Amino acid sequence: MNLIILTEADALADGHYELSDKRAEHIISVLKCTPGSTVEIGLLNGPVGVAEIESIDESTVKLHVKQTQPAPVISPTIDIICAVPRPQTLKKILLTSAMMGVSQLHLVRANRTEKSYLQSPMMEPENQLPYLLEGLSQGKLTSLPQITLHQLFRPFVEDTWPDLELASSDDNVLLLADMDTSATVLELPQLKTAKHVTISIGPEGGWIDYEVEHWRRLGFTPFCLGPWVLRVEHALTASLAQVTLANTIV
Amino acid sequence: MNLIILTEADALADGHYELSDKRAEHIISVLKCTPGSTVEIGLLNGPVGVAEIESIDESTVKLHVKQTQPAPVISPTIDIICAVPRPQTLKKILLTSAMMGVSQLHLVRANRTEKSYLQSPMMEPENQLPYLLEGLSQGKLTSLPQITLHQLFRPFVEDTWPDLELASSDDNVLLLADMDTSATVLELPQLKTAKHVTISIGPEGGWIDYEVEHWRRLGFTPFCLGPWVLRVEHALTASLAQVTLANTIV
């Protein structure tokens, strides 16, 4: 935990918070804090800062936020469209998305999404939250990615996506991670000045031709991540790393 | 499993192989093969190809390699120097290294490496192998990364490393993933033509100043992965993705 994420549920009053879960355990056992010590904190969807430990009573920690500053801004803003993955993979996608500052995560049912994935408890927001919080804590960020599940592919690409403000924004660059192209993100000049990027990442085995055709028709430009056959979670990390890098070119 | 990796231990004679572990299970239950079906195979540290299923007897599969071709070559060749991580992280590092074609992986004890990590069963080669094989199978590669454990930092940087042929090769670019620089890999012109790259990746919390100083003195150039605070396994994937991308610039 690089940052202790505090939520409204932990708040007492006037900047005082009480923790008694694994964050308290981390403060006591790993950080070895005592009353008067300070810890780095982040207020969920708010600023980061420093809090002072007021008291430690067995497994309960009380702390007081002393100082705050705006949380880091990750630029460009990146949204991810990801085929609904198996539950174990979804956990990694959630953690990575939060850790690397993904803004919106659209989980879309793909032809190769197994039906059972959609019935997994991991599709429930309350089961996703711990992985998102772990990601924020690791990445020292505070903004929860906004997660939306789209149970059907065609209504998403035909109705939902085109209606989103970003879909038609000139500032938004649309990318499709694709093994069938040799063009890299460095060959996309529009990325250099992009303020916003949306990346579509397929399921294990990839999007089927019908799905790829839809992405292309919607203006998504295929790009090649490299010579590898990656798992979905690695494709996500590699995409974010390459797109952000390409965006630094002056 | 994108590739069924076959080893000498599985060999009968004349290109015939027998499997009865989870690879057999995968061929039977996931690929739903029957005698006469073909599967994509890779011979460990050898070519890839196609094998025909000869017989399936309960949980034992016999197959015959029909055709082979050279395994894909990942370019540039990348070696990783990585601070010995916690055992759970090491599993991910091994899988990712094999999947993304890392050539050599030097695990070096860092100041921030906890002593207990070195006593973990995961430091034993036979316990590492399953994760490497899983990575090769995912990445459709066959060359095992060469793993070396260096129990002490100073002898490694002062004696072992300088004696390696690659340490002083003009063809080898030495990089240090570093959060304290703003220079990206795109600002390193030597990467464009590099045939070989070595990347040093620190532990959780980073290399300490003393260690950074050693890397710099050995010629490692610091680079910034991006605005994130990443876990070691994500830093590895992101480094490989960015360095390989930078190497594609003509």
Side-chain angles (χ1 to χ4, degrees):
Chain A
M1 286 190 198
N2 293 317
L3 211 61
I4 304 290
I5 302 288
L6 304 175
T7 71
E8 276 179 26
D10 311 315
L12 300 172
D14 301 329
H16 294 267
Y17 290 80
E18 184 177 279
L19 307 176
S20 53
D21 57 8
K22 62 177 185 173
R23 291 168 295 172
E25 205 182 301
H26 184 81
I27 289 171
I28 298 168
S29 307
V30 181
L31 301 179
K32 301 191 194 303
C33 289
T34 49
S37 323
T38 55
V39 289
E40 285 189 71
I41 57 95
L43 302 183
L44 189 61
N45 293 318
V48 295
V50 172
E52 186 180 301
I53 308 295
E54 295 181 304
S55 65
I56 297 178
D57 178 16
E58 288 189 10
S59 59
T60 299
V61 172
K62 284 190 183 170
L63 33 77
H64 183 203
V65 176
K66 287 291 189 187
Q67 172 238 314
T68 61
Q69 73 226 43
V73 176
I74 301 289
S75 165
T77 312
I78 302 185
D79 290 347
I80 299 291
I81 296 172
C82 183
V84 177
R86 64 178 70 243
Q88 287 307 318
T89 301
L90 180 56
K91 294 175 184 174
K92 298 171 189 166
I93 297 296
L94 293 170
L95 188 146
T96 301
S97 297
M99 177 181 67
M100 297 182 78
V102 165
S103 176
Q104 300 199 26
L105 174 62
H106 295 279
L107 297 169
V108 183
R109 182 177 182 174
N111 182 277
R112 292 198 172 114
T113 295
E114 285 185 26
K115 219 177 189 172
S116 65
Y117 300 171
L118 292 157
Q119 287 141 10
S120 154
M122 274 306 296
M123 300 314 297
E124 301 300 329
E126 68 265 31
N127 295 328
Q128 296 174 350
L129 189 60
Y131 298 93
L132 295 169
L133 292 175
E134 198 180 336
L136 292 180
S137 177
Q138 165 65 39
K140 301 182 89 168
L141 299 175
T142 63
S143 292
L144 277 180
Q146 198 180 314
I147 320 279
T148 323
L149 172 63
H150 306 277
Q151 297 261 7
L152 295 168
F153 182 82
R154 208 164 144 177
F156 176 72
V157 293
E158 292 190 347
D159 305 320
T160 312
W161 170 258
D163 274 356
L164 295 177
E165 201 185 324
L166 275 170
S168 57
S169 161
D170 283 344
D171 277 343
N172 193 24
V173 175
L174 309 178
L175 299 178
L176 173 68
D178 186 1
M179 294 192 62
D180 293 334
T181 179
S182 61
T184 73
V185 287
L186 296 180
E187 290 161 63
L188 304 172
Q190 65 272 36
L191 256 183
K192 294 183 199 177
T193 53
K195 293 204 178 62
H196 202 105
V197 182
T198 302
I199 311 171
S200 162
I201 297 175
E204 282 177 65
W207 299 109
I208 62 170
D209 288 349
Y210 165 85
E211 292 163 340
V212 169
E213 209 176 288
H214 268 287
W215 297 125
R216 286 174 173 267
R217 207 178 302 153
L218 288 168
F220 284 76
T221 305
F223 75 101
C224 167
L225 272 170
W228 313 287
V229 183
L230 298 179
R231 289 190 173 172
V232 177
E233 64 267 30
H234 294 89
L236 173 61
T237 302
S239 298
L240 292 167
Q242 291 191 345
V243 165
T244 302
L245 177 65
N247 191 249
T248 64
I249 302 172
V250 191
Chain B
M1 286 192 200
N2 292 318
L3 210 61
I4 304 291
I5 302 288
L6 304 175
T7 72
E8 276 179 26
D10 311 314
L12 300 172
D14 302 328
H16 294 266
Y17 290 79
E18 185 177 279
L19 307 175
S20 52
D21 56 8
K22 63 177 185 174
R23 292 168 296 174
E25 206 183 301
H26 184 81
I27 289 171
I28 298 167
S29 307
V30 180
L31 301 179
K32 300 192 192 303
C33 288
T34 50
S37 324
T38 55
V39 289
E40 285 188 71
I41 57 93
L43 302 181
L44 189 61
N45 294 318
V48 296
V50 172
E52 186 180 303
I53 309 296
E54 295 181 307
S55 66
I56 296 178
D57 177 14
E58 290 189 11
S59 60
T60 300
V61 171
K62 285 190 183 172
L63 34 78
H64 183 201
V65 176
K66 286 293 189 188
Q67 172 237 314
T68 61
Q69 74 226 43
V73 175
I74 301 289
S75 167
T77 311
I78 302 185
D79 290 347
I80 299 292
I81 296 173
C82 183
V84 177
R86 62 179 72 243
Q88 289 306 318
T89 301
L90 180 56
K91 294 175 184 174
K92 296 170 190 167
I93 297 295
L94 293 169
L95 188 148
T96 301
S97 296
M99 177 182 68
M100 297 181 79
V102 165
S103 177
Q104 300 198 25
L105 174 62
H106 295 280
L107 297 169
V108 183
R109 182 177 180 174
N111 182 277
R112 292 197 171 115
T113 295
E114 286 185 25
K115 219 175 187 175
S116 65
Y117 301 171
L118 292 157
Q119 287 142 11
S120 154
M122 274 307 296
M123 299 315 296
E124 301 300 328
E126 68 265 30
N127 295 328
Q128 297 175 350
L129 189 60
Y131 298 94
L132 295 169
L133 291 175
E134 198 181 336
L136 292 179
S137 176
Q138 165 65 38
K140 302 181 90 167
L141 299 174
T142 64
S143 292
L144 277 180
Q146 197 180 315
I147 320 279
T148 322
L149 172 64
H150 306 277
Q151 297 260 7
L152 294 167
F153 182 82
R154 208 163 143 179
F156 177 72
V157 292
E158 292 189 348
D159 304 322
T160 312
W161 170 258
D163 274 357
L164 294 178
E165 202 184 326
L166 275 170
S168 57
S169 162
D170 284 345
D171 278 342
N172 193 23
V173 175
L174 309 179
L175 299 178
L176 173 67
D178 186 2
M179 293 192 62
D180 293 333
T181 179
S182 61
T184 74
V185 287
L186 296 181
E187 289 161 64
L188 304 172
Q190 65 270 39
L191 256 185
K192 294 183 198 175
T193 53
K195 294 203 176 65
H196 201 103
V197 182
T198 303
I199 311 171
S200 163
I201 297 176
E204 283 177 65
W207 300 108
I208 61 169
D209 288 349
Y210 166 86
E211 292 163 340
V212 169
E213 209 177 288
H214 267 288
W215 297 125
R216 284 174 174 268
R217 206 178 303 152
L218 288 168
F220 284 76
T221 305
F223 75 101
C224 167
L225 272 170
W228 313 287
V229 183
L230 298 178
R231 289 191 171 171
V232 176
E233 64 266 31
H234 294 89
L236 173 61
T237 302
S239 298
L240 292 167
Q242 290 190 345
V243 166
T244 302
L245 176 65
N247 192 249
T248 63
I249 303 172
V250 191

